[in-house]
Amino acid sequence: MKMMKHVLMINALTMMVGIAALAADTCNDIIHTCGDVEIPYPFAIYNNNPDCFSHRQLLKLYCNKSKIYAGKNLQVLNINISKSQIEWLLDVSKYCGKDNVNNYENTLTTASYTISSKDNKFITVGNNSYGYLNSFSDDGGKYSTGCLTRSFGDPRDIDNGTCSGIGCCQVDIPPRMTNISVQAYNFNKSSESCSYSFVVKNDSYTFSSTHLSKGLPQREFPAVFDWTIGDENCSSAKNNGVNYGCKSNSHCDDKDTYFGYRCKCNPGYEGNPYNPIGCTDIDECEIGPHECKTKENCRNTDGNHTCFCPKGSSGDGTLKGGCQQNLNTIVLPIVLGAGAVFTVLFAGIIFYLLNQKRKLNKLKEKFYKQNGGSILEQKLTQRQDSSQIAHIFKENELRKATNNYDESLIVGRGGFGTVFKGELEDNRIVAIKKSKTIDESQVEQFINEVDVVSRINHRNVVKLLGCCLETEVPLLVYEFVSNGTLSEFIRTEIGKVNNVSWKTRLKIAAEVAGALSYLHSAASVPIIHRDVKSDNILLDETNTAKVSDFGASRLVPLDQIEVATMVQGTIGYLDPEYMQTSQLTEKSDVYSFGVVLVELLTGEKPFCAGRPEERRSFSMYFLSCLKKDSLHEVIHDGMWNEENKQEIKEVSVLAAKCLRLRGEERPSMKEVAMELEGLRLMNKHSWINEDINVEESRYLLHESSSRIDELGDSSKQGDYGYDSLKDHVLIALDDGR
């Protein structure tokens, strides 16, 4: 089958230029504009005078209706002088096997131009198609590259946007290809579909499967060509001075060129090296870059610049060296005057600093007395066991330990203060709590609490190491616990909960219960924590629990079982009876611990206004599920299995006991701790079977729900006892330690 060729010919003698004999009269009319577009040297608009373009010093272009063309029909899009590149629109070669009338092949004779191998791709588009890109040298040599694409499957398997080899293939273009021809073919010559081959600038063509059925959307694509001038290399061109194309302040470059050469501006110059005026000097002092200290220290030179120092100073004036004033240029009176001023100024500064230090020391003494320092000193001297004596830290010790209370060292914020991580001079890592306020009328009680809490020596209670009383608000220093809070532990375990995780949670629950039991009954003075929550339970590197944050705690005199206080705590954890009566008891901590147990079982936050109304207070929703015998619906995913089910049920019933609305019906923390520790140690449970457990659970929750109704029928409102108390109780909320 014969194929019709549409051949585009651009001869070397018609596209390229020769000597620009600018001094000759015959070339005085060389044109360098096309409409409003300026044509840069070495390009010029053809002026019907072949002599001006007889040697390749000027490159011939054509102007038609303000559009620029190379040859008669290659529209020029861009000329880049610094890269020696030109961009034009190049036709697509087409082959349609069944209708050969529309077939055509592109041939381009480009003696001065070579296809840019870095900026273009050769692409073939079609079903069962292949294409060639051929290059012909002047000595008769030929070499080719190309690619093929074959597809026999479902057209929907073809990926749009990628030229991966199915429906569309692409290859890199070898260097120095000139005098080219582009050919497209189809393996099935009777096929109705067409094949297309073309050279295109990188990222200027995006393949679509519709191009296989409907054809390419355009007949030509932009392509980038490298250009050179002259017919000689740099050495020969320089010897032929009349024809040499590189003007003043430029140099010749023939690296990687097939023939001819390029011109580039010398360092320190800019502009068009082919222009008769040549390259012009860059004023580095004004526009940079320069290495001088300032613009004023810079002196521009032809093609370069120098740095200097002003009169009366020495140095090289550069950023590195700079300038130094010469001492011998400073007159003696100025020296003496400056010395006197310096002496007076120095004395004034010393006096000011000493005065400020005295004021600071007096202020520290004032705060120390105001915060009960003398009372604490007296109590500490009465201690017989020196290992339990709380250390009184100096303010500058803690300031240094926290790098002046650097915010990057903050490890917790709460309603009662901010906690910083610090390192003491003996390399101990500590947590330093900076409280927000202290009631001056309660100073003696505060000192008494510091004295008592510092004596607590329990492996599951964060140790109070001491305090600093030299600040307006006292600072408390605790041992540092490194592994975050129980709340963080629960939230970060989402998606990876298993049997091991449940055993860890049960261990943590038992340790916290043991610590609270110790505070309630084994400490020298009973202590009610008053803000038990997962944010106030810390974990060390072995996930050992440590109860922390005694900012809201209250000591209970040995002859009292209740303390009347303003309600403080965190919503979701607060004891409803305490909220209603303001009477704080040990059973308030039991209720809060019950909420923590629900958190460990479910992984859910105790209170969230964004949840559905029946789930807003999750502890109450948990109780309703336990009552309906649908406990498995709320247990954290991954924990409910045959191995853990019985233990989880027992802990759930224990949580329900802790959450009874009347404090007197709740177990003590000692009882809770014993039951949890027993669950950890026993392989078999004391209950006879699960049915008895379910019945006991239902009875317990029926009893509990009846108590809820007694507080104002709040269960019918959906908040299980919280709404009925909102207008009657002042709650000081805490947002974590």
Side-chain angles (χ1 to χ4, degrees):
M1 181 182 295
K2 294 183 179 180
M3 181 179 67
M4 181 177 291
K5 296 184 179 180
H6 290 217
V7 181
L8 175 63
M9 301 294 293
I10 302 180
N11 293 322
L13 292 178
T14 59
M15 276 193 70
M16 310 311 162
V17 293
I19 305 172
L22 299 177
D25 294 337
T26 57
C27 295
N28 286 340
D29 58 347
I30 290 177
I31 302 170
H32 284 282
T33 58
C34 179
D36 295 331
V37 180
E38 183 175 348
I39 308 298
Y41 284 92
F43 294 88
I45 301 300
Y46 186 59
N47 61 355
N48 295 318
N49 187 346
D51 292 337
C52 296
F53 299 87
S54 59
H55 296 80
R56 298 175 53 251
Q57 188 181 354
L58 284 178
L59 302 181
K60 183 193 304 182
L61 298 178
Y62 296 88
C63 182
N64 185 1
K65 297 180 181 179
S66 298
K67 291 185 178 180
I68 306 169
Y69 294 87
K72 297 298 183 182
N73 54 0
L74 284 178
Q75 184 180 348
V76 176
L77 303 178
N78 181 50
I79 297 173
N80 190 314
I81 298 298
S82 62
K83 292 184 177 181
S84 297
Q85 289 183 331
I86 186 169
E87 181 181 334
W88 58 47
L89 292 175
L90 194 60
D91 282 353
V92 175
S93 290
K94 177 181 178 184
Y95 179 89
C96 298
K98 201 168 185 179
D99 183 13
N100 61 11
V101 176
N102 293 320
N103 298 342
Y104 58 90
E105 166 189 326
N106 277 347
T107 301
L108 188 64
T109 304
T110 57
S112 297
Y113 297 86
T114 57
I115 304 176
S116 173
S117 61
K118 296 180 180 179
D119 298 286
N120 301 293
K121 297 289 184 185
F122 177 71
I123 292 178
T124 295
V125 176
N127 287 314
N128 307 319
S129 303
Y130 61 99
Y132 294 117
L133 173 62
N134 307 302
S135 176
F136 304 89
S137 61
D138 293 338
D139 58 6
K142 172 186 175 181
Y143 65 96
S144 305
T145 188
C147 67
L148 64 84
T149 166
R150 307 200 72 172
S151 58
F152 302 97
D154 191 335
R156 290 176 295 181
D157 292 338
I158 298 175
D159 292 330
N160 287 320
T162 62
C163 199
S164 59
I166 303 178
C168 175
C169 65
Q170 67 178 16
V171 293
D172 292 335
I173 296 175
R176 296 182 293 279
M177 291 193 79
T178 187
N179 300 324
I180 64 170
S181 69
V182 180
Q183 298 171 304
Y185 294 101
N186 195 295
F187 287 105
N188 185 0
K189 292 183 170 51
S190 63
S191 172
E192 294 182 359
S193 61
C194 295
S195 302
Y196 308 91
S197 293
F198 51 95
V199 176
V200 62
K201 179 183 176 182
N202 292 340
D203 302 323
S204 294
Y205 169 70
T206 303
F207 171 69
S208 171
S209 59
T210 60
H211 298 170
L212 302 176
S213 56
K214 299 181 180 179
L216 291 182
Q218 57 199 84
R219 293 286 304 276
E220 52 189 6
F221 289 97
V224 179
F225 281 71
D226 298 321
W227 49 264
T228 58
I229 66 168
D231 301 315
E232 307 162 300
N233 59 22
C234 287
S235 178
S236 299
K238 289 178 182 178
N239 293 332
N240 189 358
V242 177
N243 294 331
Y244 186 49
C246 300
K247 306 308 177 185
S248 60
N249 303 318
S250 68
H251 62 278
C252 183
D253 175 25
D254 57 9
K255 182 181 179 182
D256 297 328
T257 61
Y258 187 70
F259 60 88
Y261 58 92
R262 306 181 184 96
C263 300
K264 297 183 180 296
C265 288
N266 292 334
Y269 295 90
E270 63 184 355
N272 187 338
Y274 305 96
N275 193 296
I277 65 172
C279 299
T280 57
D281 174 57
I282 299 173
D283 189 347
E284 293 90 351
C285 298
E286 286 293 334
I287 63 175
H290 64 77
E291 58 183 12
C292 302
K293 183 178 180 181
T294 66
K295 175 182 173 181
E296 287 70 26
N297 293 97
C298 181
R299 181 182 294 113
N300 188 57
T301 61
D302 188 23
N304 208 333
H305 67 283
T306 60
C307 303
F308 68 96
C309 290
K311 187 178 180 180
S313 61
S314 60
D316 57 13
T318 63
L319 283 170
K320 185 177 181 180
C323 299
Q324 297 81 36
Q325 191 172 13
N326 295 333
L327 294 177
N328 57 5
T329 62
I330 304 175
V331 295
L332 184 61
I334 297 177
V335 174
L336 295 176
V341 170
F342 176 78
T343 301
V344 172
L345 182 62
F346 181 76
I349 292 174
I350 295 299
F351 176 77
Y352 174 79
L353 293 176
L354 290 174
N355 189 46
Q356 289 298 109
K357 186 176 182 180
R358 281 194 295 270
K359 287 183 178 180
L360 182 61
N361 289 336
K362 287 184 178 180
L363 188 62
K364 288 181 179 180
E365 291 177 8
K366 174 187 173 184
F367 288 147
Y368 187 81
K369 293 179 180 178
Q370 180 178 296
N371 292 327
S374 56
I375 302 175
L376 181 59
E377 282 182 0
Q378 185 178 0
K379 287 182 175 292
L380 295 181
T381 55
Q382 296 172 355
R383 293 263 189 103
Q384 294 181 352
D385 185 356
S386 59
S387 64
Q388 292 186 345
I389 295 179
H391 183 70
I392 301 178
F393 291 90
K394 297 292 184 180
E395 190 272 341
N396 58 343
E397 282 185 84
L398 302 188
R399 183 177 295 277
K400 183 178 179 181
T402 59
N403 194 20
N404 200 23
Y405 302 105
D406 188 342
E407 289 196 1
S408 66
L409 296 176
I410 293 177
V411 294
R413 297 181 189 271
F416 301 100
T418 303
V419 181
F420 294 83
K421 179 181 179 181
E423 183 176 359
L424 301 177
E425 290 185 351
D426 59 5
N427 298 324
R428 279 187 298 167
I429 304 299
V430 295
I432 300 171
K433 183 171 182 179
K434 198 174 186 181
S435 301
K436 290 182 178 179
T437 57
I438 185 171
D439 187 348
E440 292 186 12
S441 64
Q442 302 294 320
V443 168
E444 187 171 351
Q445 182 179 348
F446 165 75
I447 293 298
N448 189 42
E449 292 181 17
V450 169
D451 178 43
V452 173
V453 173
S454 66
R455 299 186 198 187
I456 297 175
N457 190 16
H458 191 279
R459 68 185 301 266
N460 298 120
V461 177
V462 175
K463 177 68 175 174
L464 177 65
L465 303 177
C467 63
C468 174
L469 305 176
E470 293 181 344
T471 54
E472 184 175 6
V473 177
L475 304 173
L476 298 176
V477 182
Y478 293 92
E479 67 169 313
F480 182 76
V481 185
S482 60
N483 211 19
T485 67
L486 177 59
S487 174
E488 294 167 346
F489 172 81
I490 294 172
R491 309 293 172 246
T492 56
E493 278 214 331
I494 293 175
K496 55 181 180 180
V497 177
N498 51 33
N499 290 347
V500 175
S501 179
W502 164 245
K503 300 303 180 186
T504 301
R505 294 185 184 207
L506 183 59
K507 177 183 82 77
I508 291 171
E511 290 172 345
V512 174
L516 294 175
S517 172
Y518 171 84
L519 294 176
H520 288 181
S521 56
S524 57
V525 177
I527 299 174
I528 301 175
H529 189 284
R530 199 163 63 153
D531 197 18
V532 176
K533 58 182 179 180
S534 57
D535 279 333
N536 285 342
I537 298 168
L538 305 181
L539 302 176
D540 67 10
E541 60 277 0
T542 63
N543 285 330
T544 297
K546 290 182 179 287
V547 177
S548 71
D549 201 340
F550 294 86
S553 302
R554 284 292 179 265
L555 305 181
V556 182
L558 294 175
D559 58 346
Q560 293 185 25
I561 60 171
E562 294 181 347
V563 178
T565 68
M566 183 183 75
V567 174
Q568 288 182 302
T570 304
I571 193 168
Y573 296 89
L574 275 169
D575 172 13
E577 187 175 61
Y578 169 44
M579 291 170 63
Q580 188 178 47
T581 65
S582 297
Q583 296 298 315
L584 181 68
T585 70
E586 295 172 352
K587 297 299 181 71
S588 300
D589 282 352
V590 175
Y591 184 91
S592 300
F593 178 75
V595 178
V596 173
L597 281 181
V598 173
E599 266 191 280
L600 286 166
L601 288 162
T602 67
E604 296 286 344
K605 293 183 178 180
F607 184 84
C608 180
R611 286 196 293 244
E613 189 172 355
E614 69 275 7
R615 294 183 176 219
R616 203 167 291 166
S617 172
F618 206 81
S619 297
M620 298 300 106
Y621 180 70
F622 170 84
L623 293 177
S624 69
C625 289
L626 183 60
K627 182 177 181 180
K628 296 174 185 176
D629 199 17
S630 58
L631 186 61
H632 61 279
E633 295 181 5
V634 292
I635 298 302
H636 206 152
D637 290 341
M639 293 196 310
W640 183 269
N641 54 45
E642 289 302 320
E643 181 180 345
N644 299 331
K645 182 167 62 176
Q646 191 64 26
E647 284 183 353
I648 290 174
K649 285 183 178 182
E650 294 193 35
V651 173
S652 299
V653 172
L654 180 60
K657 292 178 181 178
C658 295
L659 293 173
R660 284 171 170 157
L661 295 187
R662 294 183 61 181
E664 63 186 21
E665 297 177 357
R666 301 171 197 154
S668 67
M669 280 312 308
K670 186 174 183 179
E671 293 170 329
V672 173
M674 290 175 63
E675 187 161 347
L676 286 173
E677 191 61 33
L679 280 174
R680 291 186 62 203
L681 298 177
M682 292 174 58
N683 293 323
K684 294 183 179 180
H685 304 298
S686 58
W687 294 349
I688 298 174
N689 55 51
E690 293 184 8
D691 294 335
I692 297 176
N693 178 29
V694 171
E695 290 302 319
E696 182 176 340
S697 301
R698 288 175 177 169
Y699 173 78
L700 171 66
L701 289 189
H702 174 74
E703 190 179 53
S704 180
S705 63
S706 67
R707 295 290 184 238
I708 294 172
D709 294 341
E710 290 176 9
L711 286 179
D713 200 21
S714 59
S715 62
K716 296 179 181 179
Q717 302 174 21
D719 267 353
Y720 297 94
Y722 285 98
D723 281 349
S724 63
L725 301 170
K726 285 181 180 176
D727 297 332
H728 306 292
V729 181
L730 173 63
I731 304 175
L733 300 180
D734 186 11
D735 59 356
R737 70 180 181 87

